[in-house]
Amino acid sequence: MPDSDHPDRPSRWDVLTQTGAGTPMGDLLRRYWWPVAGISELAAKPTRAVRLLGEDLVLYRDLSGTYGLIDRHCRHRRADLMHGFPEACGLRCAYHGWLFDQTGRCLAQPYEDQANPDAQLNDQIRITAYPVRAHGGLLWAYLGPQPAPLVPDWEFFSWQNGFRQIVISEVPCNWFQAQENSIDPVHFEWTHANWDVRAAGRTGPYIPTHLRIDFEEFPYGFQYKRIRADTDETDRLWRIGRVCLWPNGLFTGNHVEFRVPVDDRTMLSVTWHFSRVPKGREPYAQDENSIPTWHGPVKDAHGDWIASHVMNQDFLMWCGQGAVAERGKEYLATSDRGVVLIRNRFMADLAALADGKDPKAIIRDPAANRSVPLPVAQREELINGMTLADHLKDPPARAQLGRYIFQAGQPKEVREAYMAAMGINDADIAAPSGPVDFIKAREGAR
Ligand code: FES
Ligand SMILES: [Fe+2]
């Protein structure tokens, strides 16, 4: 398809990839809550720069524990509020002391308040401010019109007996090509499993190839399903599959990857990862406010893409498509049926929004927002756990005990906390030899 049949009109591809306020998708995306940081990050440092949907903001936690998300630049003379002082209520600019609360009100202008007490400028001055919610160890921001919907309470946020960690990376590409990857089963074979075969210095054998794929829409996204040369219709990756979570996630069971639009050419990858402790180590409890959050690099010290971990492999594929993939030059094939489905769903939702309707997967009813169930292929292992002996017997499960396979850069203290939760030590988990087929249904790593 050409980029545009009408030079004066944005192409379908511009529409799908633009994120700014006033653009069709920018306005659609503003109807959803976006994870922007870990709760534990704000406990460690109470201000954090956030660029979301093209807007520069500062996220803060004041001394009473209230979160705010306000314009990065002070309403007075545009100083950077990243350097502001959290007060009992609100964030105070470090330049001349103006104080703003989480609703955008100016509570104090110290010099003006004493020099011109009758002017009451405070009442006239507002700064851009957006609501923030804490949920599942993450802080969520909403930049859309009121009334805001609910932050989805996906079922995995209330799963018990798991060690959770949050991993964040800034990735220099448009968010939508990352989300297209959330409904692309075939790439697992090549970008991950066979990549690892080649990275190990082998030219084969490659893993069993995909024979059939299928897609099914449900209220909160799409399931995608696969049969490989070594599986059949009884396999749970065919019966249940994986989830393209609406509008911005890939949910594979033990983790969810959110693709968050920073602006049109940059996205934030926010992963929430759950490791069920082995059977027999329950109860294990982890405070939601102190789930470790770490930032993973996408390039190494030489400026080369990191390719040693699963999601790093994805990052380099997405960025290799260009900051904004040139979809007008694609040659789509049957393996891309899921990609076409989500493009069409977003286009249909743009029309629904123009008609005054909510787009897909907006939740407003509190009764419907309690531990919202999702398709989970390896539900049994994630809810009830596996014994440590079973973990150690199974190569992909064992590999996941041995290291965090999804992203490079896990800090040593997070690794140690994970090992303590799982009850393992280095002697238990000598590294497995050679590449591991992480797609295999049995263990459900991906
Ligand atoms: S620039 Fe912020 S108080 Fe003056
Ligand atoms: Fe991938």
Side-chain angles (χ1 to χ4, degrees):
M1 182 183 294
D3 275 351
S4 177
D5 294 332
H6 304 275
D8 299 338
R9 253 191 260 155
S11 72
R12 174 183 170 92
W13 312 131
D14 291 339
V15 168
L16 284 170
T17 55
Q18 289 173 347
T19 62
T23 64
M25 271 295 270
D27 288 346
L28 176 80
L29 297 175
R30 280 168 171 74
R31 302 302 176 112
Y32 297 93
W33 288 88
W34 297 91
V36 291
I39 291 176
S40 59
E41 293 186 281
L42 272 284
K45 186 173 181 307
T47 60
R48 178 162 194 84
V50 167
R51 184 165 162 79
L52 178 63
L53 295 161
E55 299 188 34
D56 284 310
L57 305 163
V58 60
L59 177 66
Y60 71 86
R61 181 180 193 272
D62 71 17
L63 298 179
S64 69
T66 300
Y67 295 104
L69 182 66
I70 61 177
D71 192 339
R72 174 84 184 261
H73 296 284
C74 178
R75 187 73 178 80
H76 179 214
R77 285 182 40 223
R78 309 286 295 154
D80 187 348
L81 288 169
M82 255 295 287
H83 308 301
F85 312 150
E87 299 283 11
C89 177
L91 185 68
R92 187 186 295 282
C93 179
Y95 208 10
H96 312 98
W98 290 22
L99 175 65
F100 303 95
D101 75 4
Q102 75 280 1
T103 69
R105 279 186 311 159
C106 183
L107 303 182
Q109 303 164 287
Y111 181 78
E112 309 306 324
D113 291 344
Q114 64 80 29
N116 304 295
D118 298 331
Q120 296 189 318
L121 286 176
N122 294 355
D123 294 338
Q124 301 165 24
I125 294 167
R126 299 195 73 83
I127 194 167
T128 299
Y130 297 114
V132 178
R133 299 277 182 277
H135 188 60
L138 292 162
L139 293 171
W140 303 76
Y142 178 77
L143 274 54
Q146 295 295 332
L150 300 169
V151 178
D153 181 27
W154 305 124
E155 64 164 288
F156 46 79
F157 287 136
S158 49
W159 286 350
Q160 302 294 303
N161 293 306
F163 176 83
R164 294 163 292 178
Q165 58 190 301
I166 293 164
V167 189
I168 299 180
S169 294
E170 192 168 285
V171 182
C173 71
N174 183 269
W175 81 283
F176 194 62
Q177 61 215 51
Q179 186 57 6
E180 288 171 334
N181 179 246
S182 302
I183 192 156
D184 184 346
V186 172
H187 93 280
F188 284 93
E189 181 180 333
W190 297 99
T191 306
H192 304 306
N194 291 339
W195 182 295
D196 290 343
V197 170
R198 300 303 295 250
R202 302 175 195 172
T203 55
Y206 287 147
I207 65 155
T209 197
H210 283 76
L211 299 183
R212 277 169 72 190
I213 55 174
D214 201 7
F215 305 90
E216 192 173 326
E217 185 163 8
F218 73 107
Y220 303 115
F222 288 80
Q223 290 163 259
Y224 69 75
K225 304 173 178 190
R226 55 163 66 92
I227 295 176
R228 300 193 330 186
D230 59 344
T231 65
D232 58 28
E233 281 96 345
T234 64
D235 193 278
R236 58 192 181 178
L237 287 187
W238 177 255
R239 289 182 287 108
I240 303 169
R242 300 295 190 217
V243 172
C244 171
L245 189 63
W246 211 258
N248 66 329
L250 169 66
F251 171 56
T252 68
N254 67 3
H255 75 279
V256 57
E257 304 169 16
F258 294 110
R259 296 58 159 101
V260 179
V262 170
D263 55 32
D264 290 357
R265 300 174 73 84
T266 312
M267 58 157 276
L268 204 63
S269 170
V270 178
T271 298
W272 184 100
H273 189 280
F274 178 89
S275 303
R276 174 62 162 84
V277 299
K279 259 187 187 156
R281 289 195 63 77
E282 309 91 342
Y284 172 77
Q286 184 191 43
D287 179 1
E288 183 167 297
N289 295 325
S290 37
I291 295 175
T293 302
W294 52 278
H295 289 249
V298 299
K299 293 190 175 175
D300 64 18
H302 307 291
D304 295 326
W305 290 100
I306 297 170
S308 51
H309 291 62
V310 175
M311 289 176 60
N312 294 93
Q313 294 162 347
D314 289 319
F315 298 161
L316 67 87
M317 283 297 149
W318 309 338
C319 293
Q321 292 175 290
V324 183
E326 288 189 83
R327 292 171 178 77
K329 295 182 179 172
E330 291 175 338
Y331 194 111
L332 294 181
T334 54
S335 66
D336 306 306
R337 199 147 44 87
V339 170
V340 173
L341 282 171
I342 69 165
R343 290 176 182 176
N344 289 345
R345 164 52 61 200
F346 275 115
M347 294 305 288
D349 272 6
L350 288 172
L353 194 65
D355 282 347
K357 298 185 187 127
D358 270 341
K360 184 177 174 71
I362 292 287
I363 306 176
R364 296 190 183 276
D365 175 7
N369 195 39
R370 295 208 190 103
S371 195
V372 178
L374 295 170
V376 187
Q378 69 275 39
R379 178 176 295 282
E380 166 64 22
E381 293 93 317
L382 288 163
I383 303 300
N384 295 324
M386 293 164 61
T387 65
L388 184 56
D390 282 342
H391 274 282
L392 292 170
K393 264 189 260 160
D394 186 60
R398 183 189 179 104
Q400 292 199 67
L401 289 179
R403 66 173 188 141
Y404 185 75
I405 63 165
F406 295 103
Q407 266 193 255
Q410 187 189 49
K412 187 163 169 283
E413 62 273 17
V414 180
R415 172 73 189 155
E416 289 169 353
Y418 165 83
M419 291 177 74
M422 300 298 279
I424 54 173
N425 57 48
D426 288 328
D428 292 329
I429 41 162
S433 60
V436 176
D437 179 357
F438 285 108
I439 311 178
K440 280 180 64 187
R442 163 70 185 81
E443 49 313 305
R446 291 286 291 183

